Amino acid sequence: MEIQQPIIIFSDLDGTLLDHYTYDFTPAKSTIAQINTLNIPIVLTTSKTLVEVTTLQQNLEITSPLIIENGAAVYIPKDTFKEQPIDTVCDGNYWVKSFCPDISHWLTIIEQSPKEFNGLYRGFSSLSIEELVELTSLTPKGAESAKCRQYGEPIHWLGDSKSKELFKQYLTDAGANVLQGGRFFHVSGDCDKGKALTWLATQYQTLLYKDLLDGESITTIALGDGENDMAMLQAASVAVQVRSPVHPFPSFPVRKLDIVQTRKFGPEGWAQALQTLLATQFSSESQYNQITNSINSEAKHG
Ligand SMILES: [Mg+2]
Protein backbone atom coordinates (compact mmCIF):
# COMPACT_ATOMS: atom_id res chain seq x y z
CA MET A 1 0.00 0.00 0.00
CA GLU A 2 1.16 3.51 -0.78
CA ILE A 3 0.13 6.56 1.17
CA GLN A 4 -0.41 9.87 -0.59
CA GLN A 5 1.74 11.89 1.77
CA PRO A 6 4.12 11.21 4.67
CA ILE A 7 2.43 11.03 8.06
CA ILE A 8 3.84 10.74 11.58
CA ILE A 9 1.67 9.52 14.45
CA PHE A 10 2.45 10.74 17.98
CA SER A 11 0.68 8.83 20.74
CA ASP A 12 0.36 9.15 24.49
CA LEU A 13 0.38 5.84 26.38
CA ASP A 14 -1.56 5.81 29.70
CA GLY A 15 -5.29 6.23 29.06
CA THR A 16 -4.68 6.53 25.31
CA LEU A 17 -2.93 3.53 23.74
CA LEU A 18 -3.02 1.74 27.10
CA ASP A 19 -6.24 1.22 29.05
CA HIS A 20 -6.48 3.63 32.01
CA TYR A 21 -7.15 0.85 34.54
CA THR A 22 -5.43 -2.26 33.16
CA TYR A 23 -2.67 -0.90 30.84
CA ASP A 24 -4.00 -3.34 28.20
CA PHE A 25 -3.52 -2.50 24.51
CA THR A 26 -5.09 -5.57 22.85
CA PRO A 27 -7.85 -3.58 21.06
CA ALA A 28 -5.16 -1.52 19.24
CA LYS A 29 -2.91 -4.42 18.20
CA SER A 30 -4.23 -5.05 14.68
CA THR A 31 -4.23 -1.31 13.91
CA ILE A 32 -0.58 -1.02 15.03
CA ALA A 33 0.33 -3.93 12.73
CA GLN A 34 -1.47 -2.23 9.83
CA ILE A 35 0.30 1.09 10.45
CA ASN A 36 3.65 -0.72 10.59
CA THR A 37 3.05 -2.23 7.16
CA LEU A 38 2.45 1.32 5.84
CA ASN A 39 5.83 2.44 7.27
CA ILE A 40 4.17 5.22 9.24
CA PRO A 41 6.15 5.96 12.42
CA ILE A 42 4.23 5.72 15.72
CA VAL A 43 6.16 7.93 18.13
CA LEU A 44 5.25 6.98 21.69
CA THR A 45 5.00 10.33 23.46
CA THR A 46 4.74 9.82 27.15
CA SER A 47 5.46 10.93 30.71
CA LYS A 48 7.23 7.59 31.16
CA THR A 49 10.99 7.03 31.45
CA LEU A 50 13.21 5.61 28.72
CA VAL A 51 13.54 2.31 30.63
CA GLU A 52 9.76 1.91 30.95
CA VAL A 53 8.91 2.90 27.43
CA THR A 54 11.53 0.75 25.66
CA THR A 55 10.06 -2.39 27.22
CA LEU A 56 6.54 -1.31 26.26
CA GLN A 57 7.66 -0.37 22.77
CA GLN A 58 8.99 -3.91 22.24
CA ASN A 59 5.69 -5.39 23.44
CA LEU A 60 3.79 -3.07 21.10
CA GLU A 61 6.09 -4.09 18.19
CA ILE A 62 6.94 -0.47 17.39
CA THR A 63 10.49 0.66 16.46
CA SER A 64 10.10 4.43 15.96
CA PRO A 65 11.73 7.30 17.91
CA LEU A 66 10.44 7.95 21.44
CA ILE A 67 9.47 11.12 23.28
CA ILE A 68 9.98 10.52 27.00
CA GLU A 69 9.24 12.25 30.31
CA ASN A 70 6.59 14.63 28.95
CA GLY A 71 8.77 15.94 26.13
CA ALA A 72 12.02 16.33 28.11
CA ALA A 73 13.92 14.30 25.51
CA VAL A 74 13.60 12.61 22.13
CA TYR A 75 15.36 9.26 21.62
CA ILE A 76 15.96 8.47 17.95
CA PRO A 77 17.18 5.00 16.90
CA LYS A 78 20.34 5.60 14.85
CA ASP A 79 18.94 3.82 11.78
CA THR A 80 15.99 6.26 11.54
CA PHE A 81 17.89 8.85 9.46
CA LYS A 82 20.98 8.65 7.26
CA GLU A 83 22.71 11.37 9.25
CA GLN A 84 22.89 12.58 12.85
CA PRO A 85 20.05 15.03 13.61
CA ILE A 86 21.23 18.50 14.59
CA ASP A 87 21.82 19.28 18.28
CA THR A 88 21.77 15.64 19.44
CA VAL A 89 24.20 13.53 21.48
CA CYS A 90 24.97 9.83 21.21
CA ASP A 91 23.58 7.39 23.80
CA GLY A 92 24.11 3.77 22.79
CA ASN A 93 21.95 3.04 19.74
CA TYR A 94 20.15 6.40 19.95
CA TRP A 95 20.64 10.03 19.02
CA VAL A 96 19.27 12.07 21.93
CA LYS A 97 17.87 15.58 21.89
CA SER A 98 17.08 16.98 25.36
CA PHE A 99 14.95 20.01 26.10
CA CYS A 100 15.62 20.68 29.81
CA PRO A 101 18.12 20.28 32.71
CA ASP A 102 18.37 16.86 34.33
CA ILE A 103 16.70 15.60 37.51
CA SER A 104 19.31 16.74 40.06
CA HIS A 105 18.42 20.37 39.28
CA TRP A 106 14.71 19.80 40.05
CA LEU A 107 15.30 17.70 43.18
CA THR A 108 17.36 20.55 44.66
CA ILE A 109 14.47 22.99 44.08
CA ILE A 110 11.94 20.61 45.67
CA GLU A 111 14.22 20.00 48.68
CA GLN A 112 14.59 23.75 49.20
CA SER A 113 10.81 24.35 49.34
CA PRO A 114 9.41 26.20 52.42
CA LYS A 115 8.84 24.14 55.60
CA GLU A 116 5.02 24.64 55.40
CA PHE A 117 4.96 21.99 52.66
CA ASN A 118 6.78 19.35 54.74
CA GLY A 119 4.83 16.10 54.84
CA LEU A 120 2.31 17.23 52.24
CA TYR A 121 3.85 15.39 49.30
CA ARG A 122 5.91 12.41 48.25
CA GLY A 123 8.29 12.53 45.31
CA PHE A 124 8.90 9.51 43.11
CA SER A 125 12.56 9.32 44.12
CA SER A 126 11.64 9.10 47.84
CA LEU A 127 9.08 6.30 47.34
CA SER A 128 10.03 2.67 47.87
CA ILE A 129 9.16 0.13 45.17
CA GLU A 130 6.38 -1.21 47.45
CA GLU A 131 4.86 2.26 47.95
CA LEU A 132 4.98 2.96 44.23
CA VAL A 133 3.31 -0.38 43.45
CA GLU A 134 0.51 0.55 45.86
CA LEU A 135 0.01 4.03 44.35
CA THR A 136 0.11 3.08 40.68
CA SER A 137 -0.91 -0.59 40.39
CA LEU A 138 2.37 -1.12 38.50
CA THR A 139 4.20 -4.41 38.99
CA PRO A 140 7.36 -4.27 41.17
CA LYS A 141 9.49 -4.51 38.00
CA GLY A 142 7.42 -1.74 36.38
CA ALA A 143 7.80 0.45 39.45
CA GLU A 144 11.56 0.00 39.32
CA SER A 145 11.61 1.17 35.68
CA ALA A 146 9.35 4.11 36.54
CA LYS A 147 11.90 5.29 39.11
CA CYS A 148 14.64 5.65 36.44
CA ARG A 149 13.78 9.27 35.74
CA GLN A 150 16.39 11.46 34.06
CA TYR A 151 14.70 14.85 33.67
CA GLY A 152 12.07 15.48 36.34
CA GLU A 153 10.25 14.39 39.48
CA PRO A 154 6.59 13.28 39.69
CA ILE A 155 4.91 14.39 42.93
CA HIS A 156 2.07 12.60 44.72
CA TRP A 157 0.14 15.25 46.67
CA LEU A 158 -1.13 14.38 50.17
CA GLY A 159 -2.36 17.81 51.30
CA ASP A 160 -5.42 19.86 50.36
CA SER A 161 -5.92 21.52 46.99
CA LYS A 162 -5.16 25.04 48.31
CA SER A 163 -1.70 24.09 49.56
CA LYS A 164 -1.15 22.10 46.36
CA GLU A 165 -1.68 25.26 44.31
CA LEU A 166 0.73 27.21 46.60
CA PHE A 167 3.35 24.48 46.20
CA LYS A 168 2.94 24.52 42.44
CA GLN A 169 3.34 28.32 42.52
CA TYR A 170 6.60 28.00 44.51
CA LEU A 171 7.93 25.53 41.91
CA THR A 172 6.89 27.73 39.00
CA ASP A 173 8.57 30.76 40.60
CA ALA A 174 11.73 28.65 40.96
CA GLY A 175 11.76 28.10 37.19
CA ALA A 176 10.06 24.72 37.05
CA ASN A 177 7.30 23.71 34.71
CA VAL A 178 4.48 21.84 36.48
CA LEU A 179 2.24 19.50 34.50
CA GLN A 180 -0.73 17.61 35.90
CA GLY A 181 -0.63 13.96 34.86
CA GLY A 182 -3.12 11.20 35.69
CA ARG A 183 -1.97 10.30 39.18
CA PHE A 184 0.95 12.66 39.79
CA PHE A 185 2.00 16.15 38.86
CA HIS A 186 5.34 16.36 37.08
CA VAL A 187 8.05 18.86 38.00
CA SER A 188 10.43 19.48 35.14
CA GLY A 189 11.81 22.13 32.81
CA ASP A 190 10.25 24.26 30.14
CA CYS A 191 9.51 21.31 27.92
CA ASP A 192 6.29 19.72 26.75
CA LYS A 193 5.15 17.08 24.30
CA GLY A 194 4.28 19.78 21.75
CA LYS A 195 7.81 21.22 21.47
CA ALA A 196 9.24 17.71 21.12
CA LEU A 197 6.67 16.85 18.43
CA THR A 198 7.50 19.98 16.45
CA TRP A 199 11.25 19.35 16.67
CA LEU A 200 11.00 15.68 15.61
CA ALA A 201 8.56 16.43 12.78
CA THR A 202 11.12 18.95 11.45
CA GLN A 203 13.83 16.25 11.52
CA TYR A 204 11.62 13.89 9.49
CA GLN A 205 10.75 16.71 7.12
CA THR A 206 14.37 17.70 6.45
CA LEU A 207 16.26 14.40 6.83
CA LEU A 208 13.85 11.82 5.39
CA TYR A 209 10.90 13.24 3.49
CA LYS A 210 12.37 16.37 1.91
CA ASP A 211 12.00 15.23 -1.71
CA LEU A 212 8.62 13.62 -1.16
CA LEU A 213 7.15 16.72 0.49
CA ASP A 214 8.41 19.22 -2.07
CA GLY A 215 8.14 22.15 0.36
CA GLU A 216 4.85 21.03 1.93
CA SER A 217 4.62 20.51 5.71
CA ILE A 218 4.55 16.95 7.00
CA THR A 219 1.21 15.71 8.37
CA THR A 220 1.25 14.91 12.09
CA ILE A 221 -1.52 13.09 13.94
CA ALA A 222 -1.40 13.30 17.75
CA LEU A 223 -3.50 11.21 20.14
CA GLY A 224 -3.88 11.85 23.87
CA ASP A 225 -6.37 11.83 26.73
CA GLY A 226 -4.98 14.20 29.37
CA GLU A 227 -3.99 17.78 30.19
CA ASN A 228 -0.34 16.89 29.61
CA ASP A 229 -1.19 16.03 25.99
CA MET A 230 -2.71 19.41 25.13
CA ALA A 231 0.51 21.05 23.86
CA MET A 232 1.09 18.01 21.63
CA LEU A 233 -2.49 18.06 20.31
CA GLN A 234 -2.20 21.80 19.73
CA ALA A 235 1.04 21.37 17.75
CA ALA A 236 -0.21 18.52 15.51
CA SER A 237 -1.97 18.88 12.16
CA VAL A 238 -4.72 16.55 13.38
CA ALA A 239 -5.59 16.22 17.08
CA VAL A 240 -7.33 13.13 18.47
CA GLN A 241 -8.70 13.38 21.99
CA VAL A 242 -9.14 9.87 23.32
CA ARG A 243 -12.07 9.52 25.72
CA SER A 244 -11.13 8.93 29.36
CA PRO A 245 -13.26 6.95 31.82
CA VAL A 246 -12.20 9.29 34.67
CA HIS A 247 -12.34 12.86 33.34
CA PRO A 248 -14.02 14.94 30.59
CA PHE A 249 -12.09 15.97 27.45
CA PRO A 250 -9.69 18.81 28.39
CA SER A 251 -10.62 21.92 26.39
CA PHE A 252 -8.44 23.75 23.85
CA PRO A 253 -7.66 27.41 24.59
CA VAL A 254 -7.38 28.22 20.87
CA ARG A 255 -7.86 25.66 18.16
CA LYS A 256 -8.46 26.14 14.48
CA LEU A 257 -7.50 22.81 12.96
CA ASP A 258 -9.04 19.35 12.93
CA ILE A 259 -10.07 17.79 16.24
CA VAL A 260 -11.42 14.28 16.58
CA GLN A 261 -12.97 13.14 19.87
CA THR A 262 -13.33 9.38 20.20
CA ARG A 263 -16.58 7.75 21.26
CA LYS A 264 -14.79 4.76 22.81
CA PHE A 265 -12.28 4.79 25.67
CA GLY A 266 -8.49 4.25 25.53
CA PRO A 267 -7.05 1.76 23.01
CA GLU A 268 -10.44 1.07 21.39
CA GLY A 269 -10.95 4.77 20.69
CA TRP A 270 -7.30 5.01 19.54
CA ALA A 271 -7.76 2.24 16.97
CA GLN A 272 -11.06 3.49 15.66
CA ALA A 273 -9.86 7.08 15.20
CA LEU A 274 -6.72 6.01 13.33
CA GLN A 275 -8.63 3.59 11.11
CA THR A 276 -10.93 6.39 10.09
CA LEU A 277 -8.20 8.99 9.62
CA LEU A 278 -5.89 6.71 7.65
CA ALA A 279 -8.71 5.56 5.39
CA THR A 280 -8.98 9.13 4.12
CA GLN A 281 -5.27 9.08 3.20
CA PHE A 282 -5.52 6.17 0.75
CA SER A 283 -5.86 7.00 -2.88
CA SER A 284 -7.38 3.98 -4.55
CA GLU A 285 -10.87 2.73 -3.87
CA SER A 286 -9.78 -0.86 -3.21
CA GLN A 287 -7.40 0.25 -0.47
CA TYR A 288 -10.12 2.43 1.04
CA ASN A 289 -12.57 -0.50 1.01
CA GLN A 290 -10.04 -2.76 2.64
CA ILE A 291 -9.67 -0.29 5.50
CA THR A 292 -13.38 0.42 5.95
CA ASN A 293 -14.17 -3.31 5.90
CA SER A 294 -11.71 -3.82 8.69
CA ILE A 295 -13.29 -0.96 10.73
CA ASN A 296 -16.71 -2.52 10.24
CA SER A 297 -15.59 -5.98 11.23
CA GLU A 298 -13.86 -4.52 14.32
CA ALA A 299 -17.08 -2.69 15.17
CA LYS A 300 -19.07 -5.96 14.88
CA HIS A 301 -16.67 -7.75 17.19
CA GLY A 302 -16.49 -4.80 19.58
MG1 LIG B 1 -2.61 9.87 29.27
Side-chain angles (χ1 to χ4, degrees), residues 2-18:
E2 286 274 318
I3 49 168
Q4 286 175 302
Q5 53 175 339
I7 296 170
I8 315 174
I9 295 168
F10 293 82
S11 177
D12 172 49
L13 284 170
D14 290 2
T16 299
L17 184 47
L18 307 181

Side-chain angles (χ1 to χ4, degrees), residues 125-232:
S125 53
S126 75
L127 292 167
S128 67
I129 300 294
E130 293 73 26
E131 287 171 316
L132 204 49
V133 165
E134 192 143 316
L135 275 173
T136 56
S137 67
L138 288 167
T139 62
K141 194 166 177 282
E144 210 171 308
S145 307
K147 276 174 73 76
C148 299
R149 302 200 79 81
Q150 303 176 80
Y151 297 99
E153 175 82 333
I155 301 282
H156 178 58
W157 193 254
L158 306 169
D160 60 23
S161 57
K162 194 181 167 205
S163 48
K164 182 181 177 180
E165 288 317 305
L166 289 170
F167 188 65
K168 283 182 173 180
Q169 191 56 54
Y170 158 78
L171 295 167
T172 308
D173 292 345
N177 192 35
V178 182
L179 270 179
Q180 185 68 51
R183 294 171 175 84
F184 296 84
F185 64 83
H186 295 260
V187 182
S188 189
D190 184 22
C191 52
D192 59 49
K193 293 179 176 184
K195 287 188 186 112
L197 176 151
T198 303
W199 181 85
L200 184 58
T202 305
Q203 304 315 305
Y204 270 99
Q205 186 151 337
T206 53
L207 299 177
L208 196 62
Y209 295 133
K210 198 173 181 183
D211 297 337
L212 215 57
L213 283 162
D214 194 26
E216 295 281 305
S217 286
I218 195 160
T219 300
T220 52
I221 300 175
L223 304 98
D225 71 312
E227 277 297 339
N228 63 339
D229 299 312
M230 293 309 280
M232 166 175 83

Side-chain angles (χ1 to χ4, degrees), residues 8-282:
I8 315 174
I9 295 168
F10 293 82
S11 177
D12 172 49
L13 284 170
D14 290 2
T16 299
L17 184 47
L18 307 181
D19 182 88
H20 175 83
Y21 297 109
T22 63
Y23 302 101
D24 181 39
F25 57 84
T26 313
K29 258 177 141 173
S30 64
T31 303
I32 293 170
Q34 246 175 306
I35 293 167
N36 283 341
T37 64
L38 296 168
N39 280 322
I40 296 174
I42 302 174
V43 179
L44 301 178
T45 307
T46 176
S47 59
K48 291 182 187 299
T49 64
L50 178 68
V51 178
E52 295 180 275
V53 79
T54 42
T55 311
L56 262 166
Q57 196 191 29
Q58 280 164 15
N59 296 340
L60 289 160
E61 295 179 12
I62 294 171
T63 56
S64 311
L66 298 161
I67 294 175
I68 61 156
E69 298 195 28
N70 273 322
V74 183
Y75 274 71
I76 305 168
K78 282 187 174 167
D79 59 5
T80 307
F81 305 121
K82 286 202 181 89
E83 53 194 287
Q84 178 180 0
I86 192 165
D87 205 17
T88 56
V89 296
C90 168
D91 183 359
N93 295 322
Y94 295 100
W95 296 120
V96 183
K97 161 77 180 173
S98 40
F99 293 85
C100 82
D102 72 10
I103 187 165
S104 59
H105 176 83
W106 308 113
L107 288 180
T108 305
I109 287 172
I110 293 165
E111 277 158 24
Q112 289 170 350
S113 67
K115 284 201 184 75
E116 61 188 274
F117 299 119
N118 282 1
L120 296 185
Y121 66 89
R122 293 295 303 276
F124 242 53
S125 53
S126 75
L127 292 167
S128 67
I129 300 294
E130 293 73 26
E131 287 171 316
L132 204 49
V133 165
E134 192 143 316
L135 275 173
T136 56
S137 67
L138 288 167
T139 62
K141 194 166 177 282
E144 210 171 308
S145 307
K147 276 174 73 76
C148 299
R149 302 200 79 81
Q150 303 176 80
Y151 297 99
E153 175 82 333
I155 301 282
H156 178 58
W157 193 254
L158 306 169
D160 60 23
S161 57
K162 194 181 167 205
S163 48
K164 182 181 177 180
E165 288 317 305
L166 289 170
F167 188 65
K168 283 182 173 180
Q169 191 56 54
Y170 158 78
L171 295 167
T172 308
D173 292 345
N177 192 35
V178 182
L179 270 179
Q180 185 68 51
R183 294 171 175 84
F184 296 84
F185 64 83
H186 295 260
V187 182
S188 189
D190 184 22
C191 52
D192 59 49
K193 293 179 176 184
K195 287 188 186 112
L197 176 151
T198 303
W199 181 85
L200 184 58
T202 305
Q203 304 315 305
Y204 270 99
Q205 186 151 337
T206 53
L207 299 177
L208 196 62
Y209 295 133
K210 198 173 181 183
D211 297 337
L212 215 57
L213 283 162
D214 194 26
E216 295 281 305
S217 286
I218 195 160
T219 300
T220 52
I221 300 175
L223 304 98
D225 71 312
E227 277 297 339
N228 63 339
D229 299 312
M230 293 309 280
M232 166 175 83
L233 297 181
Q234 195 79 49
S237 337
V238 181
V240 179
Q241 288 192 294
V242 173
R243 189 176 292 273
S244 166
V246 292
H247 58 73
F249 291 119
S251 53
F252 286 96
V254 187
R255 178 85 203 171
K256 291 177 188 145
L257 302 170
D258 298 350
I259 310 171
V260 176
Q261 291 185 329
T262 68
R263 195 168 50 80
K264 295 189 173 178
F265 299 118
E268 270 188 272
W270 188 96
Q272 207 163 40
L274 282 176
Q275 291 286 355
T276 310
L277 285 169
L278 292 174
T280 64
Q281 300 288 337
F282 294 92

